[in-house]
Amino acid sequence: MEIHHPNYGLSKTKEESFAEDTSINLLPRAVLRPNSYILLDGEWKFKLDLEDKGLTESWHLGHAYEYTGMWPGSIEEHMKNARIEPTQKSWRDKVIAWYEREFPLPHLSTNNGDPHSLLQLTFGACGYETMVWLNGILLKTIEGEEVHTGEYTSFSYELDPKTLKEINRLTVRIADSMDADIPRGKQESHVYKRGGIWYQTYTGAVRSVWLEPVERNRLRSRVGVFSIVEDNMVRFNLTTRIHDPGNYTLRLQVYKRKQDTPEPLAEDSYPLKLESGEKRQRVVIEIPTAELWTPENPVLYRLVAQLIDEKGYAAEIETHFGLRKIEARGCCVYLNNKSVYLDGILYQPGTATYEEIKAHMVAMKKLGCNLVRIHIAGVDPRIYNLADKIGMMLWVEVPSPHHSSAKSRKAHREELLRMLSLIGTHPSVVIWSLYNEDWGAQDIATNPETRQYITEMYHYMQLAYPQFLIVDNDGWHHISYEGRLKSDLLTAHLYTPDLQRWKELLDAIVSGQMTGVAAFPLVVGDPFFYRNHIPLIVSEWGGFGFSDYGGPKENEGRSELIKAYKKELRSRPIAGDVYTQATNIEDEKNGLIDEHSAALKVPEGLLNSRDEEL
């Protein structure tokens, strides 16, 4: 591995600041920083720790690694490529892997004497449990964790200059298991084994890792956005990170996404007295000439936020946002106070790369979708950026645990909060599911503690994140308390290959029948009386081609049946539907888009029913 000293800095030119759409974000996050960064992707030393002895033998102090692996990449891939036993059966209980590489100390033009900056190490996603050592010294995340848990979101370390050398050794220990109490989405566990709708594990070094200079006193890479579209107002939730307490000024400037001139459309400043540590702060700014974000016209704006100290030094971040309002009102979903039918599709990216997912998203737009339901998976955050730009509404979900317990609920809550802190920027994200089909909440019908937890998280989401619609448990077993649904949408999963049965199911559900429609009763808890006062979404249907769901396997037959099913949906008071699914994945052979080339297997516009006569 070639070692050389790259330079990095905390400045950018005026031309870069205001040139048309020059903000190309190559890192998996929503926020841009005006700095340079160093990707540590590529070849790492690798070793499997089958006996879990690396900690007791202090591998972080120096160890002989037999193999190499490419980062990003999964432990499963690295085992296969290195022909490490067990190769055929992968792992069946717990897997521990160690990675190591060297990197040179980046050089600032100030000979690393800049009083404002420090070096930060960020993992785009890694886990489920991750420990990191720098030159043999165990690091703590910004949140103070020696062991970071979670494998779907980023986490960072501020590097102490005293521990840095000209050539530095970075050691990473990753541990994962088949534990059904931790968030896993559709990866197999001790409860759900691989096969059918359950997939092979994919864990470890799953997203990029990079070094970058950041300011000691700065805004973190997490921005929440809530629009008051009637008043052209935007509420931003920002997080400050302070090492030097004192008086600061928060300055916001808003520009069009593509703008050649330096004058902002709106700007304001807010004085802050900040102690050491982190603090969330809400501020509001008016954008008098604002246009609203819609799938047909995805207007985006650029926010430049600066935290300025008493000497005038400004630490800056930049992100894109859009003004939009989503509501569940009566029988319909409203976007920006106009009813909109949700023509959706279920998407399970699996092990697809960013470039493949990007191509899939464009193909789903060609199919006529205005909504993609990303099914209980954590994806590269750049996909949310893409959806913002192309005008695709997203329905996202917490990767579910597979067992219901106090432990799984705690892990679920922590995963949800990690995801929320990093996804709250995007106008494309409009719906969140807490659970799906009882996975991780199998006792929802019998255990008041499970229902109480879901109810509490629903209320929390309503208050803290009003920019989203919230679904408690998608598919069935929605929670009712005193006749009030603890979900913004009444959703049902309906699978049948028979058109006549399809008509009967739709008639039953729109008439308010809560049992005998989906696989389980639609509502659990207190009685709930449906009277067209909450939007009804058929959030999974079709799946034609997959053996479990039946229906035609050839593309022409599937196309004709999809048209017939969509016609029945649109002839009833239903607010939207989600076809299963976009691409094939492992045993599920029901995709409408080729998973490799992203070519459509069915005609363009097949899922667009918004222009059809009701």
Side-chain angles (χ1 to χ4, degrees):
M1 183 186 303
E2 182 182 0
I3 300 293
H4 60 91
H5 287 273
N7 295 320
Y8 69 106
L10 280 166
S11 62
K12 65 177 181 180
T13 66
K14 182 175 180 181
E15 287 73 23
E16 288 173 330
S17 298
F18 297 106
E20 180 176 329
D21 201 25
T22 57
S23 299
I24 300 173
N25 192 358
L26 299 178
L27 297 180
R29 64 183 179 195
V31 169
L32 287 163
R33 294 187 178 276
N35 60 10
S36 51
Y37 59 87
I38 303 166
L39 279 174
L40 297 183
D41 294 353
E43 187 176 274
W44 286 57
K45 299 175 183 177
F46 166 77
K47 186 170 184 178
L48 204 64
D49 190 0
L50 290 170
E51 300 176 8
D52 192 11
K53 59 185 180 180
L55 288 174
T56 57
E57 293 182 358
S58 302
W59 287 8
H60 57 280
L61 297 180
H63 187 72
Y65 291 85
E66 305 170 49
Y67 307 102
T68 60
M70 296 300 293
W71 193 309
S74 70
I75 291 175
E76 291 81 1
E77 289 176 337
H78 299 153
M79 291 170 62
K80 181 179 179 180
N81 293 338
R83 298 182 179 179
I84 301 173
E85 293 294 339
T87 54
Q88 299 302 317
K89 294 184 180 180
S90 184
W91 50 278
R92 283 293 175 264
D93 181 33
K94 186 175 183 179
V95 65
I96 300 172
W98 289 68
Y99 295 82
E100 189 169 277
R101 68 157 290 167
E102 293 182 337
F103 69 89
L105 179 65
H107 284 169
L108 278 170
S109 57
T110 56
N111 293 321
N112 293 352
D114 190 333
H116 299 292
S117 73
L118 53 85
L119 198 59
Q120 180 172 281
L121 172 69
T122 298
F123 291 79
C126 185
Y128 183 67
E129 296 179 356
T130 306
M131 300 177 71
V132 180
W133 291 263
L134 178 64
N135 299 321
I137 299 172
L138 181 62
L139 301 180
K140 291 184 179 181
T141 66
I142 291 178
E143 287 71 29
E145 308 162 305
E146 289 187 346
V147 180
H148 173 78
T149 59
E151 60 181 305
Y152 301 105
T153 54
S154 63
F155 54 99
S156 299
Y157 301 86
E158 295 175 342
L159 303 185
D160 185 345
K162 297 177 183 178
T163 66
L164 289 165
K165 303 177 181 180
E166 282 296 299
I167 301 295
N168 297 275
R169 179 167 48 86
L170 189 62
T171 309
V172 181
R173 177 186 184 270
I174 304 171
D176 207 342
S177 71
M178 292 286 183
D179 187 352
D181 283 312
I182 64 176
R184 11 190 359 98
K186 291 181 74 172
Q187 297 183 67
E188 65 175 318
S189 70
H190 289 309
V191 172
Y192 300 123
K193 296 300 183 182
R194 188 197 176 284
I197 66 169
W198 303 103
Y199 311 142
Q200 179 183 339
T201 56
Y202 184 87
T203 189
V206 297
R207 213 162 287 156
S208 290
V209 55
W210 65 92
L211 288 164
E212 64 180 327
V214 295
E215 292 85 358
R216 288 171 49 83
N217 308 299
R218 63 189 184 279
L219 297 166
R220 292 205 67 188
S221 300
R222 44 194 66 187
V223 181
V225 179
F226 175 70
S227 307
I228 305 101
V229 300
E230 294 83 358
D231 300 320
N232 288 339
M233 304 286 287
V234 182
R235 186 178 81 196
F236 294 105
N237 291 316
L238 299 123
T239 301
T240 57
R241 171 71 174 168
I242 301 298
H243 285 269
D244 307 306
N247 294 312
Y248 291 83
T249 298
L250 175 63
R251 183 167 66 195
L252 303 186
Q253 296 175 311
V254 174
Y255 304 85
K256 292 182 178 179
R257 184 170 76 91
K258 297 182 178 181
Q259 182 169 329
D260 294 320
T261 57
E263 293 81 15
L265 299 177
E267 61 180 325
D268 207 342
S269 296
Y270 315 82
L272 297 174
K273 294 181 180 294
L274 298 175
E275 302 286 352
S276 296
E278 288 194 6
K279 182 179 184 296
R280 292 189 67 188
Q281 180 65 49
R282 174 192 295 178
V283 293
V284 178
I285 191 169
E286 181 181 5
I287 309 173
T289 60
E291 298 180 65
L292 302 184
W293 184 95
T294 67
E296 298 76 23
N297 188 30
V299 177
L300 292 175
Y301 293 89
R302 187 162 56 91
L303 169 70
V304 176
Q306 295 179 322
L307 188 66
I308 305 169
D309 66 19
E310 293 178 282
K311 296 182 179 179
Y313 182 84
E316 180 179 303
I317 61 172
E318 180 179 314
T319 193
H320 293 141
F321 70 95
L323 281 78
R324 68 108 180 101
K325 177 184 180 182
I326 194 79
E327 283 184 293
R329 191 196 314 162
C331 66
C332 300
V333 173
Y334 284 79
L335 179 66
N336 303 331
N337 296 316
K338 296 180 180 179
S339 64
V340 58
Y341 187 86
L342 303 179
D343 279 317
I345 192 167
L346 189 78
Y347 181 46
Q348 305 186 89
T351 59
T353 66
Y354 167 71
E355 291 300 329
E356 288 172 333
I357 298 174
K358 182 178 178 180
H360 296 162
M361 291 288 290
V362 173
M364 287 183 270
K365 188 82 173 179
K366 291 179 181 178
L367 272 175
C369 299
N370 62 0
L371 173 80
V372 172
R373 181 175 164 220
I374 301 176
H375 195 30
I376 53 175
V379 297
D380 189 316
R382 290 176 293 176
I383 297 304
Y384 306 120
N385 295 336
L386 175 66
D388 292 342
K389 292 179 181 179
I390 69 173
M392 182 68 83
M393 292 184 287
L394 299 179
W395 180 336
V396 299
E397 304 171 323
V398 187
S400 60
H402 291 178
H403 178 245
S404 182
S405 67
K407 178 183 174 183
S408 76
R409 289 188 285 275
K410 180 177 182 294
H412 177 276
R413 183 179 186 276
E414 291 171 350
E415 195 69 64
L416 170 63
L417 296 180
R418 284 191 292 265
M419 293 178 70
L420 283 166
S421 68
L422 297 170
I423 302 178
T425 312
H426 302 282
S428 57
V429 179
V430 295
I431 303 173
W432 278 78
S433 288
L434 300 178
Y435 286 90
N436 174 78
E437 292 187 353
D438 304 350
W439 300 341
Q442 291 90 337
D443 56 358
I444 190 172
T446 58
N447 188 349
E449 291 183 1
T450 298
R451 293 199 297 274
Q452 181 181 357
Y453 166 71
I454 297 174
T455 298
E456 288 175 353
M457 295 313 298
Y458 169 72
H459 289 157
Y460 168 77
M461 294 281 284
Q462 278 192 317
L463 290 172
Y465 296 91
Q467 67 266 45
F468 305 126
L469 298 179
I470 312 303
V471 177
D472 56 348
N473 177 51
D474 187 47
W476 50 70
H477 279 164
H478 297 285
I479 298 171
S480 174
Y481 178 73
E482 296 180 349
R484 293 187 62 186
L485 211 61
K486 298 305 174 182
S487 178
D488 293 329
L489 305 170
L490 178 61
T491 68
H493 295 176
L494 308 179
Y495 285 108
T496 176
D498 181 76
L499 182 57
Q500 182 58 39
R501 177 58 178 159
W502 178 246
K503 296 176 183 179
E504 294 170 358
L505 290 174
L506 295 183
D507 287 339
I509 198 170
V510 299
S511 69
Q513 187 173 322
M514 294 290 106
T515 59
V517 181
F520 294 94
L522 289 186
V523 174
V524 66
D526 294 332
F528 174 76
F529 303 99
Y530 176 69
R531 296 293 187 270
N532 295 314
H533 62 284
I534 186 170
L536 173 62
I537 308 286
V538 181
S539 52
E540 285 188 28
W541 68 276
F544 305 137
F546 181 43
S547 57
D548 288 7
Y549 301 148
K553 295 184 178 181
E554 72 281 3
N555 295 327
E556 184 177 351
R558 285 198 291 169
S559 298
E560 292 304 313
L561 199 56
I562 288 170
K563 288 180 182 178
Y565 275 49
K566 289 286 281 189
K567 181 179 179 180
E568 297 300 327
L569 284 162
R570 289 312 311 274
S571 66
R572 292 167 174 81
I574 293 173
D577 67 84
V578 179
Y579 180 81
T580 304
Q581 66 182 337
T583 62
N584 292 344
I585 177 170
E586 297 198 17
D587 294 341
E588 288 194 69
K589 308 297 184 183
N590 52 7
L592 303 182
I593 300 166
D594 186 274
E595 64 269 32
H596 302 298
S597 68
L600 295 185
K601 301 177 182 179
V602 295
E604 288 193 17
L606 179 64
L607 296 181
N608 179 9
S609 64
R610 297 181 297 281
D611 299 327
E612 296 288 335
E613 292 293 333
L614 298 184

